[in-house]
Amino acid sequence: QVQLLESGGGSVQAGGSLRLSCAASGSAYRRKCMGWFRQAPGKVREGVVGFAAAGSDTYYADSVKGRFTISRDNAKNQYYLQMNNLKPEDTGMYFCASRPSPSCGGYWYLADEYNYWGQGTQVTVSS
C-alpha cells in the first residue's frame, strides 16, 4: 500500500507562487512513478507533471513548462511542486499520485494509469 498526503495549497493572485508538498509512505515499488494532477470544477483530472521518484526523469504538461518545477527529497520521501507565475487557469484541486510502472514516461498524463492518490490540496489563483 501507499499513502500520499498533499499540502501547501492556498489562494494567490495571478503572477504569484506556491509550493506544494507530497509526503509519501508505504511500498517503494508502488510509488516508483509519481505524478501531480489537477482538477478544476466540471473538468477532467489532468496531468501536470509525471516523474520518477528516484532519478531525473520528469515530464511536464505544455501548459506548465517553464513555470512549474518538481523536486525530490528521497531521504524524506517528499516531493515538491514549485509553481511560479501562476495563472487563473491553474486553479483547481491538486493531487499527488503514484504507480508501479516500469516506465514513468509512458502515459504519465493519464489519471487512470495511477493506482494511489492523495486527498488533494486546493489552489486558487485570482486575476
PDB file of all heavy atoms in Angstrom, residues 82-114:
ATOM      1  N   GLN A  82       6.958  23.241  -7.232  1.00  0.00           N
ATOM      2  CA  GLN A  82       7.103  24.685  -7.168  1.00  0.00           C
ATOM      3  C   GLN A  82       6.363  25.296  -8.342  1.00  0.00           C
ATOM      4  O   GLN A  82       6.657  24.983  -9.504  1.00  0.00           O
ATOM      5  CB  GLN A  82       8.579  25.082  -7.218  1.00  0.00           C
ATOM      6  CG  GLN A  82       8.821  26.581  -7.194  1.00  0.00           C
ATOM      7  CD  GLN A  82       8.418  27.214  -5.884  1.00  0.00           C
ATOM      8  OE1 GLN A  82       8.702  26.693  -4.814  1.00  0.00           O
ATOM      9  NE2 GLN A  82       7.746  28.360  -5.947  1.00  0.00           N
ATOM     10  N   MET A  83       5.411  26.156  -8.031  1.00  0.00           N
ATOM     11  CA  MET A  83       4.575  26.760  -9.079  1.00  0.00           C
ATOM     12  C   MET A  83       4.796  28.265  -9.065  1.00  0.00           C
ATOM     13  O   MET A  83       4.475  28.946  -8.078  1.00  0.00           O
ATOM     14  CB  MET A  83       3.104  26.424  -8.817  1.00  0.00           C
ATOM     15  CG  MET A  83       2.834  24.932  -8.671  1.00  0.00           C
ATOM     16  SD  MET A  83       1.085  24.522  -8.558  1.00  0.00           S
ATOM     17  CE  MET A  83       0.656  25.324  -7.030  1.00  0.00           C
ATOM     18  N   ASN A  84       5.344  28.770 -10.143  1.00  0.00           N
ATOM     19  CA  ASN A  84       5.620  30.200 -10.288  1.00  0.00           C
ATOM     20  C   ASN A  84       4.755  30.803 -11.385  1.00  0.00           C
ATOM     21  O   ASN A  84       4.234  30.090 -12.246  1.00  0.00           O
ATOM     22  CB  ASN A  84       7.093  30.421 -10.615  1.00  0.00           C
ATOM     23  CG  ASN A  84       8.018  29.940  -9.529  1.00  0.00           C
ATOM     24  OD1 ASN A  84       7.676  29.975  -8.342  1.00  0.00           O
ATOM     25  ND2 ASN A  84       9.196  29.479  -9.924  1.00  0.00           N
ATOM     26  N   ASN A  85       4.638  32.117 -11.349  1.00  0.00           N
ATOM     27  CA  ASN A  85       3.869  32.834 -12.365  1.00  0.00           C
ATOM     28  C   ASN A  85       2.493  32.187 -12.562  1.00  0.00           C
ATOM     29  O   ASN A  85       2.076  31.889 -13.680  1.00  0.00           O
ATOM     30  CB  ASN A  85       4.628  32.871 -13.686  1.00  0.00           C
ATOM     31  CG  ASN A  85       4.002  33.796 -14.711  1.00  0.00           C
ATOM     32  OD1 ASN A  85       3.254  34.705 -14.351  1.00  0.00           O
ATOM     33  ND2 ASN A  85       4.288  33.569 -15.974  1.00  0.00           N
ATOM     34  N   LEU A  86       1.812  31.981 -11.458  1.00  0.00           N
ATOM     35  CA  LEU A  86       0.522  31.304 -11.507  1.00  0.00           C
ATOM     36  C   LEU A  86      -0.519  32.117 -12.266  1.00  0.00           C
ATOM     37  O   LEU A  86      -0.508  33.360 -12.235  1.00  0.00           O
ATOM     38  CB  LEU A  86       0.032  31.004 -10.092  1.00  0.00           C
ATOM     39  CG  LEU A  86       0.733  29.804  -9.438  1.00  0.00           C
ATOM     40  CD1 LEU A  86       0.574  29.844  -7.927  1.00  0.00           C
ATOM     41  CD2 LEU A  86       0.169  28.508 -10.001  1.00  0.00           C
ATOM     42  N   LYS A  87      -1.384  31.378 -12.940  1.00  0.00           N
ATOM     43  CA  LYS A  87      -2.444  31.985 -13.748  1.00  0.00           C
ATOM     44  C   LYS A  87      -3.807  31.518 -13.221  1.00  0.00           C
ATOM     45  O   LYS A  87      -3.893  30.437 -12.618  1.00  0.00           O
ATOM     46  CB  LYS A  87      -2.288  31.566 -15.204  1.00  0.00           C
ATOM     47  CG  LYS A  87      -0.935  31.905 -15.818  1.00  0.00           C
ATOM     48  CD  LYS A  87      -0.822  31.377 -17.234  1.00  0.00           C
ATOM     49  CE  LYS A  87       0.530  31.704 -17.840  1.00  0.00           C
ATOM     50  NZ  LYS A  87       0.649  31.195 -19.225  1.00  0.00           N
ATOM     51  N   PRO A  88      -4.855  32.278 -13.470  1.00  0.00           N
ATOM     52  CA  PRO A  88      -6.186  31.833 -13.017  1.00  0.00           C
ATOM     53  C   PRO A  88      -6.548  30.431 -13.519  1.00  0.00           C
ATOM     54  O   PRO A  88      -7.212  29.678 -12.798  1.00  0.00           O
ATOM     55  CB  PRO A  88      -7.118  32.899 -13.607  1.00  0.00           C
ATOM     56  CG  PRO A  88      -6.274  34.129 -13.663  1.00  0.00           C
ATOM     57  CD  PRO A  88      -4.900  33.637 -14.030  1.00  0.00           C
ATOM     58  N   GLU A  89      -6.084  30.064 -14.692  1.00  0.00           N
ATOM     59  CA  GLU A  89      -6.392  28.730 -15.222  1.00  0.00           C
ATOM     60  C   GLU A  89      -5.654  27.605 -14.507  1.00  0.00           C
ATOM     61  O   GLU A  89      -5.908  26.432 -14.762  1.00  0.00           O
ATOM     62  CB  GLU A  89      -6.112  28.659 -16.731  1.00  0.00           C
ATOM     63  CG  GLU A  89      -4.738  29.139 -17.147  1.00  0.00           C
ATOM     64  CD  GLU A  89      -4.729  30.589 -17.608  1.00  0.00           C
ATOM     65  OE1 GLU A  89      -5.393  31.436 -16.957  1.00  0.00           O
ATOM     66  OE2 GLU A  89      -4.044  30.870 -18.617  1.00  0.00           O
ATOM     67  N   ASP A  90      -4.755  27.956 -13.602  1.00  0.00           N
ATOM     68  CA  ASP A  90      -4.093  26.943 -12.776  1.00  0.00           C
ATOM     69  C   ASP A  90      -4.940  26.559 -11.570  1.00  0.00           C
ATOM     70  O   ASP A  90      -4.586  25.641 -10.814  1.00  0.00           O
ATOM     71  CB  ASP A  90      -2.739  27.461 -12.273  1.00  0.00           C
ATOM     72  CG  ASP A  90      -1.734  27.675 -13.396  1.00  0.00           C
ATOM     73  OD1 ASP A  90      -1.662  26.818 -14.299  1.00  0.00           O
ATOM     74  OD2 ASP A  90      -1.022  28.704 -13.357  1.00  0.00           O
ATOM     75  N   THR A  91      -6.037  27.250 -11.376  1.00  0.00           N
ATOM     76  CA  THR A  91      -6.920  26.971 -10.241  1.00  0.00           C
ATOM     77  C   THR A  91      -7.468  25.552 -10.298  1.00  0.00           C
ATOM     78  O   THR A  91      -7.875  25.074 -11.351  1.00  0.00           O
ATOM     79  CB  THR A  91      -8.080  27.983 -10.219  1.00  0.00           C
ATOM     80  OG1 THR A  91      -7.558  29.288  -9.953  1.00  0.00           O
ATOM     81  CG2 THR A  91      -9.105  27.622  -9.151  1.00  0.00           C
ATOM     82  N   GLY A  92      -7.479  24.883  -9.157  1.00  0.00           N
ATOM     83  CA  GLY A  92      -8.031  23.544  -9.081  1.00  0.00           C
ATOM     84  C   GLY A  92      -7.541  22.808  -7.853  1.00  0.00           C
ATOM     85  O   GLY A  92      -6.733  23.337  -7.079  1.00  0.00           O
ATOM     86  N   MET A  93      -8.049  21.600  -7.698  1.00  0.00           N
ATOM     87  CA  MET A  93      -7.557  20.723  -6.643  1.00  0.00           C
ATOM     88  C   MET A  93      -6.361  19.972  -7.213  1.00  0.00           C
ATOM     89  O   MET A  93      -6.448  19.404  -8.308  1.00  0.00           O
ATOM     90  CB  MET A  93      -8.649  19.736  -6.224  1.00  0.00           C
ATOM     91  CG  MET A  93      -8.281  18.878  -5.037  1.00  0.00           C
ATOM     92  SD  MET A  93      -8.236  19.827  -3.504  1.00  0.00           S
ATOM     93  CE  MET A  93      -9.988  19.923  -3.155  1.00  0.00           C
ATOM     94  N   TYR A  94      -5.270  19.999  -6.482  1.00  0.00           N
ATOM     95  CA  TYR A  94      -4.054  19.343  -6.920  1.00  0.00           C
ATOM     96  C   TYR A  94      -3.849  18.055  -6.143  1.00  0.00           C
ATOM     97  O   TYR A  94      -3.925  18.044  -4.915  1.00  0.00           O
ATOM     98  CB  TYR A  94      -2.857  20.275  -6.747  1.00  0.00           C
ATOM     99  CG  TYR A  94      -2.756  21.304  -7.851  1.00  0.00           C
ATOM    100  CD1 TYR A  94      -3.706  22.325  -7.955  1.00  0.00           C
ATOM    101  CD2 TYR A  94      -1.740  21.267  -8.791  1.00  0.00           C
ATOM    102  CE1 TYR A  94      -3.637  23.260  -8.978  1.00  0.00           C
ATOM    103  CE2 TYR A  94      -1.659  22.202  -9.806  1.00  0.00           C
ATOM    104  CZ  TYR A  94      -2.612  23.197  -9.902  1.00  0.00           C
ATOM    105  OH  TYR A  94      -2.530  24.126 -10.913  1.00  0.00           O
ATOM    106  N   PHE A  95      -3.563  16.998  -6.894  1.00  0.00           N
ATOM    107  CA  PHE A  95      -3.403  15.673  -6.312  1.00  0.00           C
ATOM    108  C   PHE A  95      -2.020  15.103  -6.615  1.00  0.00           C
ATOM    109  O   PHE A  95      -1.499  15.275  -7.712  1.00  0.00           O
ATOM    110  CB  PHE A  95      -4.434  14.705  -6.895  1.00  0.00           C
ATOM    111  CG  PHE A  95      -5.861  15.079  -6.639  1.00  0.00           C
ATOM    112  CD1 PHE A  95      -6.554  15.893  -7.535  1.00  0.00           C
ATOM    113  CD2 PHE A  95      -6.527  14.612  -5.515  1.00  0.00           C
ATOM    114  CE1 PHE A  95      -7.871  16.234  -7.316  1.00  0.00           C
ATOM    115  CE2 PHE A  95      -7.849  14.942  -5.285  1.00  0.00           C
ATOM    116  CZ  PHE A  95      -8.517  15.758  -6.181  1.00  0.00           C
ATOM    117  N   CYS A  96      -1.512  14.385  -5.660  1.00  0.00           N
ATOM    118  CA  CYS A  96      -0.305  13.601  -5.836  1.00  0.00           C
ATOM    119  C   CYS A  96      -0.741  12.160  -6.086  1.00  0.00           C
ATOM    120  O   CYS A  96      -1.694  11.683  -5.457  1.00  0.00           O
ATOM    121  CB  CYS A  96       0.540  13.715  -4.570  1.00  0.00           C
ATOM    122  SG  CYS A  96       2.105  12.857  -4.613  1.00  0.00           S
ATOM    123  N   ALA A  97      -0.048  11.472  -6.985  1.00  0.00           N
ATOM    124  CA  ALA A  97      -0.425  10.105  -7.326  1.00  0.00           C
ATOM    125  C   ALA A  97       0.815   9.266  -7.571  1.00  0.00           C
ATOM    126  O   ALA A  97       1.890   9.797  -7.867  1.00  0.00           O
ATOM    127  CB  ALA A  97      -1.309  10.105  -8.579  1.00  0.00           C
ATOM    128  N   SER A  98       0.648   7.952  -7.468  1.00  0.00           N
ATOM    129  CA  SER A  98       1.782   7.070  -7.729  1.00  0.00           C
ATOM    130  C   SER A  98       1.335   5.793  -8.432  1.00  0.00           C
ATOM    131  O   SER A  98       0.157   5.412  -8.380  1.00  0.00           O
ATOM    132  CB  SER A  98       2.518   6.733  -6.426  1.00  0.00           C
ATOM    133  OG  SER A  98       1.794   5.787  -5.675  1.00  0.00           O
ATOM    134  N   ARG A  99       2.284   5.137  -9.059  1.00  0.00           N
ATOM    135  CA  ARG A  99       2.027   3.881  -9.755  1.00  0.00           C
ATOM    136  C   ARG A  99       3.336   3.117  -9.884  1.00  0.00           C
ATOM    137  O   ARG A  99       4.408   3.722  -9.962  1.00  0.00           O
ATOM    138  CB  ARG A  99       1.452   4.144 -11.151  1.00  0.00           C
ATOM    139  CG  ARG A  99       2.352   4.996 -12.040  1.00  0.00           C
ATOM    140  CD  ARG A  99       1.798   5.152 -13.419  1.00  0.00           C
ATOM    141  NE  ARG A  99       2.659   5.972 -14.267  1.00  0.00           N
ATOM    142  CZ  ARG A  99       2.709   5.901 -15.585  1.00  0.00           C
ATOM    143  NH1 ARG A  99       1.931   5.039 -16.224  1.00  0.00           N
ATOM    144  NH2 ARG A  99       3.502   6.682 -16.292  1.00  0.00           N
ATOM    145  N   PRO A 100       3.273   1.787  -9.948  1.00  0.00           N
ATOM    146  CA  PRO A 100       4.499   0.985 -10.060  1.00  0.00           C
ATOM    147  C   PRO A 100       4.847   0.655 -11.508  1.00  0.00           C
ATOM    148  O   PRO A 100       5.112  -0.479 -11.832  1.00  0.00           O
ATOM    149  CB  PRO A 100       4.134  -0.283  -9.285  1.00  0.00           C
ATOM    150  CG  PRO A 100       2.672  -0.462  -9.582  1.00  0.00           C
ATOM    151  CD  PRO A 100       2.102   0.939  -9.662  1.00  0.00           C
ATOM    152  N   SER A 101       4.840   1.627 -12.385  1.00  0.00           N
ATOM    153  CA  SER A 101       5.081   1.392 -13.806  1.00  0.00           C
ATOM    154  C   SER A 101       6.561   1.204 -14.099  1.00  0.00           C
ATOM    155  O   SER A 101       7.391   1.865 -13.511  1.00  0.00           O
ATOM    156  CB  SER A 101       4.553   2.570 -14.623  1.00  0.00           C
ATOM    157  OG  SER A 101       4.902   2.406 -15.990  1.00  0.00           O
ATOM    158  N   PRO A 102       6.905   0.302 -15.038  1.00  0.00           N
ATOM    159  CA  PRO A 102       8.312   0.158 -15.423  1.00  0.00           C
ATOM    160  C   PRO A 102       8.842   1.373 -16.166  1.00  0.00           C
ATOM    161  O   PRO A 102      10.046   1.602 -16.204  1.00  0.00           O
ATOM    162  CB  PRO A 102       8.306  -1.090 -16.319  1.00  0.00           C
ATOM    163  CG  PRO A 102       6.909  -1.167 -16.840  1.00  0.00           C
ATOM    164  CD  PRO A 102       6.032  -0.638 -15.749  1.00  0.00           C
ATOM    165  N   SER A 103       7.940   2.161 -16.762  1.00  0.00           N
ATOM    166  CA  SER A 103       8.358   3.354 -17.489  1.00  0.00           C
ATOM    167  C   SER A 103       7.541   4.538 -17.004  1.00  0.00           C
ATOM    168  O   SER A 103       6.346   4.615 -17.249  1.00  0.00           O
ATOM    169  CB  SER A 103       8.140   3.157 -18.995  1.00  0.00           C
ATOM    170  OG  SER A 103       8.340   4.378 -19.683  1.00  0.00           O
ATOM    171  N   CYS A 104       8.199   5.451 -16.328  1.00  0.00           N
ATOM    172  CA  CYS A 104       7.459   6.584 -15.762  1.00  0.00           C
ATOM    173  C   CYS A 104       6.961   7.549 -16.827  1.00  0.00           C
ATOM    174  O   CYS A 104       6.072   8.353 -16.567  1.00  0.00           O
ATOM    175  CB  CYS A 104       8.324   7.312 -14.744  1.00  0.00           C
ATOM    176  SG  CYS A 104       8.710   6.312 -13.297  1.00  0.00           S
ATOM    177  N   GLY A 105       7.554   7.493 -18.031  1.00  0.00           N
ATOM    178  CA  GLY A 105       7.123   8.397 -19.085  1.00  0.00           C
ATOM    179  C   GLY A 105       5.893   7.939 -19.845  1.00  0.00           C
ATOM    180  O   GLY A 105       5.145   8.769 -20.393  1.00  0.00           O
ATOM    181  N   GLY A 106       5.641   6.645 -19.841  1.00  0.00           N
ATOM    182  CA  GLY A 106       4.515   6.132 -20.601  1.00  0.00           C
ATOM    183  C   GLY A 106       3.179   6.530 -20.008  1.00  0.00           C
ATOM    184  O   GLY A 106       2.891   6.187 -18.876  1.00  0.00           O
ATOM    185  N   TYR A 107       2.376   7.254 -20.781  1.00  0.00           N
ATOM    186  CA  TYR A 107       1.026   7.662 -20.358  1.00  0.00           C
ATOM    187  C   TYR A 107       1.027   8.330 -18.985  1.00  0.00           C
ATOM    188  O   TYR A 107       0.078   8.168 -18.202  1.00  0.00           O
ATOM    189  CB  TYR A 107       0.083   6.460 -20.352  1.00  0.00           C
ATOM    190  CG  TYR A 107      -0.043   5.801 -21.708  1.00  0.00           C
ATOM    191  CD1 TYR A 107       0.526   4.553 -21.951  1.00  0.00           C
ATOM    192  CD2 TYR A 107      -0.723   6.433 -22.749  1.00  0.00           C
ATOM    193  CE1 TYR A 107       0.419   3.946 -23.194  1.00  0.00           C
ATOM    194  CE2 TYR A 107      -0.820   5.832 -24.002  1.00  0.00           C
ATOM    195  CZ  TYR A 107      -0.246   4.596 -24.214  1.00  0.00           C
ATOM    196  OH  TYR A 107      -0.347   3.998 -25.448  1.00  0.00           O
ATOM    197  N   TRP A 108       2.048   9.077 -18.691  1.00  0.00           N
ATOM    198  CA  TRP A 108       2.168   9.682 -17.358  1.00  0.00           C
ATOM    199  C   TRP A 108       1.016  10.633 -17.074  1.00  0.00           C
ATOM    200  O   TRP A 108       0.718  10.910 -15.916  1.00  0.00           O
ATOM    201  CB  TRP A 108       3.492  10.426 -17.236  1.00  0.00           C
ATOM    202  CG  TRP A 108       3.570  11.668 -18.087  1.00  0.00           C
ATOM    203  CD1 TRP A 108       4.127  11.774 -19.318  1.00  0.00           C
ATOM    204  CD2 TRP A 108       3.057  12.966 -17.768  1.00  0.00           C
ATOM    205  NE1 TRP A 108       3.983  13.048 -19.792  1.00  0.00           N
ATOM    206  CE2 TRP A 108       3.343  13.807 -18.860  1.00  0.00           C
ATOM    207  CE3 TRP A 108       2.394  13.503 -16.671  1.00  0.00           C
ATOM    208  CZ2 TRP A 108       2.980  15.147 -18.881  1.00  0.00           C
ATOM    209  CZ3 TRP A 108       2.032  14.847 -16.687  1.00  0.00           C
ATOM    210  CH2 TRP A 108       2.331  15.648 -17.789  1.00  0.00           C
ATOM    211  N   TYR A 109       0.395  11.174 -18.132  1.00  0.00           N
ATOM    212  CA  TYR A 109      -0.631  12.207 -18.017  1.00  0.00           C
ATOM    213  C   TYR A 109      -2.038  11.646 -17.824  1.00  0.00           C
ATOM    214  O   TYR A 109      -2.998  12.409 -17.686  1.00  0.00           O
ATOM    215  CB  TYR A 109      -0.609  13.081 -19.275  1.00  0.00           C
ATOM    216  CG  TYR A 109      -0.578  12.262 -20.539  1.00  0.00           C
ATOM    217  CD1 TYR A 109      -1.753  11.843 -21.153  1.00  0.00           C
ATOM    218  CD2 TYR A 109       0.629  11.872 -21.103  1.00  0.00           C
ATOM    219  CE1 TYR A 109      -1.722  11.059 -22.284  1.00  0.00           C
ATOM    220  CE2 TYR A 109       0.676  11.079 -22.250  1.00  0.00           C
ATOM    221  CZ  TYR A 109      -0.499  10.682 -22.832  1.00  0.00           C
ATOM    222  OH  TYR A 109      -0.463   9.899 -23.969  1.00  0.00           O
ATOM    223  N   LEU A 110      -2.179  10.317 -17.840  1.00  0.00           N
ATOM    224  CA  LEU A 110      -3.499   9.704 -17.715  1.00  0.00           C
ATOM    225  C   LEU A 110      -3.765   9.310 -16.269  1.00  0.00           C
ATOM    226  O   LEU A 110      -3.073   8.456 -15.711  1.00  0.00           O
ATOM    227  CB  LEU A 110      -3.606   8.473 -18.622  1.00  0.00           C
ATOM    228  CG  LEU A 110      -3.568   8.740 -20.119  1.00  0.00           C
ATOM    229  CD1 LEU A 110      -3.668   7.420 -20.884  1.00  0.00           C
ATOM    230  CD2 LEU A 110      -4.662   9.689 -20.536  1.00  0.00           C
ATOM    231  N   ALA A 111      -4.803   9.890 -15.687  1.00  0.00           N
ATOM    232  CA  ALA A 111      -5.120   9.618 -14.289  1.00  0.00           C
ATOM    233  C   ALA A 111      -5.413   8.131 -14.060  1.00  0.00           C
ATOM    234  O   ALA A 111      -5.070   7.581 -13.009  1.00  0.00           O
ATOM    235  CB  ALA A 111      -6.304  10.478 -13.852  1.00  0.00           C
ATOM    236  N   ASP A 112      -6.023   7.485 -15.037  1.00  0.00           N
ATOM    237  CA  ASP A 112      -6.386   6.074 -14.874  1.00  0.00           C
ATOM    238  C   ASP A 112      -5.169   5.169 -14.750  1.00  0.00           C
ATOM    239  O   ASP A 112      -5.305   4.018 -14.331  1.00  0.00           O
ATOM    240  CB  ASP A 112      -7.241   5.616 -16.055  1.00  0.00           C
ATOM    241  CG  ASP A 112      -8.644   6.168 -15.994  1.00  0.00           C
ATOM    242  OD1 ASP A 112      -9.030   6.696 -14.930  1.00  0.00           O
ATOM    243  OD2 ASP A 112      -9.368   6.080 -16.994  1.00  0.00           O
ATOM    244  N   GLU A 113      -3.986   5.655 -15.129  1.00  0.00           N
ATOM    245  CA  GLU A 113      -2.779   4.841 -15.047  1.00  0.00           C
ATOM    246  C   GLU A 113      -2.236   4.758 -13.626  1.00  0.00           C
ATOM    247  O   GLU A 113      -1.337   3.965 -13.357  1.00  0.00           O
ATOM    248  CB  GLU A 113      -1.702   5.424 -15.971  1.00  0.00           C
ATOM    249  CG  GLU A 113      -2.040   5.324 -17.455  1.00  0.00           C
ATOM    250  CD  GLU A 113      -1.987   3.888 -17.951  1.00  0.00           C
ATOM    251  OE1 GLU A 113      -1.035   3.174 -17.595  1.00  0.00           O
ATOM    252  OE2 GLU A 113      -2.910   3.482 -18.678  1.00  0.00           O
ATOM    253  N   TYR A 114      -2.752   5.588 -12.724  1.00  0.00           N
ATOM    254  CA  TYR A 114      -2.217   5.672 -11.368  1.00  0.00           C
ATOM    255  C   TYR A 114      -3.089   4.903 -10.389  1.00  0.00           C
ATOM    256  O   TYR A 114      -4.303   4.923 -10.478  1.00  0.00           O
ATOM    257  CB  TYR A 114      -2.077   7.131 -10.942  1.00  0.00           C
ATOM    258  CG  TYR A 114      -0.992   7.835 -11.710  1.00  0.00           C
ATOM    259  CD1 TYR A 114      -1.199   8.258 -13.015  1.00  0.00           C
ATOM    260  CD2 TYR A 114       0.257   8.051 -11.144  1.00  0.00           C
ATOM    261  CE1 TYR A 114      -0.194   8.881 -13.743  1.00  0.00           C
ATOM    262  CE2 TYR A 114       1.267   8.688 -11.852  1.00  0.00           C
ATOM    263  CZ  TYR A 114       1.035   9.092 -13.161  1.00  0.00           C
ATOM    264  OH  TYR A 114       2.032   9.707 -13.875  1.00  0.00           O
TER     265      TYR A 114
END
